[in-house]
Each structure stands twice: as structure tokens, then as C-alpha cells.
Amino acid sequence: MGARPRKVSILSPDLIIKDLEKYRQLALDCGASDALMIKASSLVVQERVRAKCSIPKCAEYGTNQHCPPYSMSAAETKEIVKDYTYALVIRVDVKPEYAAGAKIHECYIKGKIDEAGRYRLLGKEYKKVFFVVSEVESRAFYDGYYLALGFAAGSCKNVFCFKMDCQALGRGKGCRWPLRSRPSMEAVGFDVFSMATGLGWTMYPVGGRSEPEEVPACSLVGLVLIV
Ligand code: SF4
């Protein structure tokens, strides 16, 4: 999408609020199920969230630039968040059968696609979160919010570099997808469940032992720190 840049200047509070609503609408137009503007001070960041990447150890741990131990620590994230006033939180709803149940969990562990292709469909939903987040971040950047910073859901390696080595970890090489790939919120310490629940969104723990029919709602969540 093209983006005519706006001259960088001190923006009035009214224009900032108008822009924030524009980004919320952009997120919806890009495929988000819902998007809400929140005060950055309400974001919850804790080191124990990041600890869940290694206990039990995720298959993506240590495999790419945007997952621990290479992603920012929760302490670094907290330091960054306190310089922002507003953030946009986006939600992408996923069919529970794409994410819950033993078969999907096995696909995740073994990196295989199941017969019904549900794991592949889950990957498409993850990709949507990266798309929405990067589109909003980019639009805000060209509007003069040059420090807009996006966070997605899940591992960029699974979404963009499946079965390939992470190029960004190589010496002197950057990311293959620098304009789309972002750390997951959890990888840098954001407590997504707590935040989403606080916004009134319905959240359930989803995993190999939760069957799809037991999960009334399943969502992926992304975030853009705007200003
Ligand atoms: S998108 Fe690929 S190259 Fe970029 S950080 Fe993720 S795994 Fe590495």
C-alpha cells in the first residue's frame, strides 16, 4: 500500500486522536477481527511471560532473531513502553479447530501439516497478524509517528522462514522479511491474556489437551506502540 509522507512536526492532541482512530480502522480493513486504542501505561509486561518460551521449551526457542534468548527482555520492553502514550491492540479470531487438539499439537511439534491442512490454515491466521501490525506501523511511520513499533503473534520463523535458517542470525545479514517480521508479544514479555481479558475480549487457554469443541473462542493478538 502506498503512503504519502506527512511532514514531521509537533501534532495537536486532536490530530493524534484522529490518527489513532484512522489506524484502528486500517487494522479492521486489513483483516483484524477487532482493534482497540489503549493507554500504553495499561500494558502488562512481565519476565515470567518470556520464561514460558523456555519452560516448556518452544520448538522456535533460539532459532530466530525475534524469539528468546535473542528477543528483547521484559526489562528492556518495560523501558521502551514507558516512553509511549498510546498503543493499538489488534485481535484476529481463529477457528478453534485450527489451533486446539492433539493432532494440531503434533503438527506443531513435528513441523508437519495435518491431513485437513488445519495447521497450514493456522499459519495463514498468524501471517494475517504480522500483516495487520506491519501495515499499521508503516502507516503511522509515514504520518510522522516515526517511532511506531509493532509486535505480532507467534514465531516469524514459522510464518516466513519455515524449514529455513533465520538469516538475521547470520553475521552481516539482515532479516529476509524486515518490513513484515516482528517479535511476538510474548517473546518480549507482554502478558497478552491479561491485557485482552482486561479489554473485554474472551480468551481461553488453547493447546494439545483442549479439544476444539471445548474452546468457544480462539484469538491471536498483536500490538503497535504508536506515540
Ligand atoms: S523472518 Fe526469517 S530471517 Fe527474519 S527474523 Fe524471522 S526467521 Fe529470521
Side-chain angles (χ1 to χ4, degrees):
M1 287 184 199
R4 179 189 281 253
R6 183 201 277 163
K7 189 175 94 176
V8 175
S9 60
I10 297 171
L11 301 173
S12 71
D14 283 355
L15 183 55
I16 291 173
I17 295 297
K18 209 171 148 196
D19 283 341
L20 294 173
E21 175 53 27
K22 182 175 76 177
Y23 305 142
R24 200 185 72 79
Q25 194 54 55
L26 174 63
L28 298 175
D29 293 345
C30 288
S33 309
D34 198 3
L36 292 171
M37 273 300 160
I38 61 165
K39 286 275 181 74
S41 57
S42 67
L43 292 166
V44 182
V45 185
Q46 295 185 338
E47 199 61 64
R48 63 180 175 167
V49 178
R50 201 165 173 268
K52 291 290 286 178
C53 296
S54 58
I55 309 170
K57 201 169 214 171
C58 172
E60 309 312 320
Y61 186 93
T63 65
N64 68 86
Q65 185 64 44
H66 287 319
C67 282
Y70 304 111
S71 57
M72 290 185 298
S73 68
E76 288 172 300
T77 307
K78 267 189 191 170
E79 232 2 75
I80 289 166
V81 165
K82 73 182 170 57
D83 290 334
Y84 288 84
T85 307
Y86 292 107
L88 178 75
V89 190
I90 65 125
R91 193 189 83 222
V92 169
D93 293 338
V94 175
K95 287 186 179 174
E97 60 263 36
Y98 294 176
K103 277 196 168 178
I104 292 288
H105 188 64
E106 194 187 335
C107 291
Y108 171 69
I109 299 288
K110 296 186 177 167
K112 281 201 231 150
I113 293 185
D114 63 326
E115 319 83 61
R118 290 175 300 163
Y119 188 57
R120 182 176 51 78
L121 292 168
L122 177 63
K124 280 189 171 179
E125 301 297 340
Y126 273 110
K127 197 169 194 173
K128 192 189 286 179
V129 181
F130 282 87
F131 176 72
V132 177
V133 163
S134 56
E135 284 298 314
V136 170
E137 184 197 284
S138 172
R139 183 63 261 177
F141 172 81
Y142 286 107
D143 280 348
Y145 302 103
Y146 52 88
L147 295 177
L149 205 55
F151 300 88
S155 161
C156 62
K157 186 167 184 306
N158 261 347
V159 170
F160 298 111
C161 298
F162 193 56
K163 295 197 186 282
M164 285 189 272
D165 287 339
C166 171
Q167 184 172 281
L169 288 180
R171 202 177 182 155
K173 292 187 173 176
C175 174
R176 285 188 191 90
W177 295 88
L179 301 182
R180 291 282 181 223
S181 172
R182 294 292 178 270
S184 80
M185 291 181 66
E186 289 89 348
V188 299
F190 287 109
D191 184 343
V192 173
F193 279 87
S194 143
M195 284 166 34
T197 304
L199 292 172
W201 290 344
T202 305
M203 302 296 283
Y204 283 83
V206 177
R209 291 187 180 184
S210 55
E211 292 306 320
E213 56 276 14
E214 298 166 341
V215 181
C218 181
S219 305
L220 305 173
V221 177
L223 171 81
V224 187
L225 298 169
I226 307 275
V227 62

